[in-house]
Amino acid sequence: GAVVSQHPSWVICKSGTSVKIECRSLDFQATTMFWYRQFPKQSLMLMATSNEGSKATYEQGVEKDKFLINHASLTLSTLTVTSAHPEDSSFYICSARPEVAYEQYFGPGTRLTVT
Amino acid sequence: AQSVTQPDIHITVSEGASLELRCNYSYGATPYLFWYVQSPGQGLQLLLKYFSGDTLVQGIKGFEAEFKRSQSSFNLRKPSVHWSDAAEYFCAVGALGSTLGRLYFGRGTQLTVWP
């Protein structure tokens, strides 16, 4: 149980285009979903926290207009990287927290490369 | 301020040897603690968690961790390491009662296992 999927697993896009990443909790309902960014050999950097049906809470320094987060249902959250630039290339990981739990379950991650 | 310290960036052990990964935390509220493991290019997998009760918790893959409040530590142990345990290990802390359930992660410890 407690499986989280992410799609796509990797994506290459051109500079200036937008990319959408989906995060789904497959066998549980997630009150809260989280989006992280991870640089090589580094820890996870929390980008934003989203609750179903409400606006996401962004961490300081994360551009809300660039990283659009939508939490449309208790099993789906999406991250859209708008007007992507090469510096947005990174490994993006989502996680989901079940309604009656404190732990987070992570997706497998999405490797974004902007050329 | 909340923080998690994993003092060892990289640890190398021989297969079959015992393992201890250190984790110290600083948190103003009652903490709940986790250890996650990440294989290259993958998301994070939950190894074990501590909320309350017995301070020695058992996890998956033969791992255990001991919560020591007086030392603000939550060290991860395994009596006999397998080559498949080679990965990055992250300690994380959150707050009981936190409505969003945000976790704070350490920088990670890279484990290398020699045959």
Side-chain angles (χ1 to χ4, degrees), chain A residues 9-23:
Chain A
S9 57
W10 61 269
V11 58
I12 301 173
C13 71
K14 293 187 176 181
S15 186
T17 62
S18 295
V19 174
K20 179 184 285 189
I21 303 170
E22 288 189 351
C23 178

Side-chain angles (χ1 to χ4, degrees), chain A residues 38 43 51 59 97 103-104 107, chain B residues 36 38 49 99 101-102 106:
Chain A
Q38 187 178 34
S43 187
N51 286 300
E59 294 299 301
R97 184 171 76 101
E103 63 267 27
Q104 295 177 22
Chain B
Y36 286 88
Q38 183 181 33
K49 58 190 178 186
T99 54
R102 178 188 174 154

Side-chain angles (χ1 to χ4, degrees), chain A residues 23-91:
Chain A
C23 178
R24 293 181 184 272
S25 55
L26 299 184
D27 51 4
F28 66 96
Q29 293 188 321
T31 307
T32 310
M33 288 186 168
F34 304 83
W35 286 95
Y36 296 86
R37 185 172 178 177
Q38 187 178 34
F39 294 99
K41 304 293 186 183
Q42 294 189 27
S43 187
L44 288 78
M45 181 190 79
L46 180 65
M47 299 174 65
T49 302
S50 72
N51 286 300
E52 184 262 339
S54 60
K55 290 185 178 180
T57 302
Y58 289 82
E59 294 299 301
Q60 190 173 3
V62 177
E63 298 176 61
K64 300 179 183 181
D65 296 331
K66 181 168 189 59
F67 298 99
L68 300 179
I69 292 172
N70 182 272
H71 194 154
S73 73
L74 286 174
T75 59
L76 173 64
S77 177
T78 60
L79 167 68
T80 301
V81 183
T82 63
S83 187
H85 291 282
E87 57 265 31
D88 299 324
S89 298
S90 192
F91 191 57

Side-chain angles (χ1 to χ4, degrees), chain A residues 1-6 23-30 33 74-75 94-108, chain B residues 36 43-47 49 60:
Chain A
V3 179
V4 177
S5 70
Q6 258 182 265
C23 178
R24 293 181 184 272
S25 55
L26 299 184
D27 51 4
F28 66 96
Q29 293 188 321
M33 288 186 168
L74 286 174
T75 59
C94 74
S95 71
R97 184 171 76 101
E99 287 183 283
V100 290
Y102 287 102
E103 63 267 27
Q104 295 177 22
Y105 294 95
F106 286 79
Chain B
Y36 286 88
L44 278 68
Q45 181 183 21
L46 179 64
L47 282 177
K49 58 190 178 186
I60 62 172

Side-chain angles (χ1 to χ4, degrees), chain B:
Chain B
Q2 49 278 356
S3 66
V4 178
T5 301
Q6 293 180 248
D8 303 305
I9 297 175
H10 193 178
I11 283 184
T12 301
V13 298
S14 298
E15 190 169 19
S18 62
L19 172 70
E20 181 170 31
L21 303 183
R22 296 182 291 167
C23 173
N24 291 95
Y25 69 91
S26 173
Y27 210 86
T30 303
Y32 56 96
L33 297 149
F34 306 92
W35 276 98
Y36 286 88
V37 61
Q38 183 181 33
S39 298
Q42 299 296 315
L44 278 68
Q45 181 183 21
L46 179 64
L47 282 177
L48 46 78
K49 58 190 178 186
Y50 172 78
F51 294 155
S52 64
D54 193 346
T55 56
L56 183 64
V57 294
Q58 302 297 321
I60 62 172
K61 303 184 180 186
F63 285 93
E64 67 178 26
E66 186 172 12
F67 172 60
K68 293 185 177 180
R69 185 182 298 275
S70 62
Q71 299 178 20
S72 298
S73 68
F74 188 58
N75 294 347
L76 182 71
R77 300 194 295 249
K78 187 170 185 178
S80 178
V81 171
H82 188 262
W83 64 265
S84 60
D85 294 325
E88 187 87 20
Y89 291 80
F90 292 97
C91 179
V93 64
L96 281 173
S98 168
T99 54
L100 291 180
R102 178 188 174 154
L103 297 182
Y104 295 87
F105 285 85
R107 64 179 176 183
T109 297
Q110 178 69 46
L111 174 65
T112 298
V113 181
W114 283 359

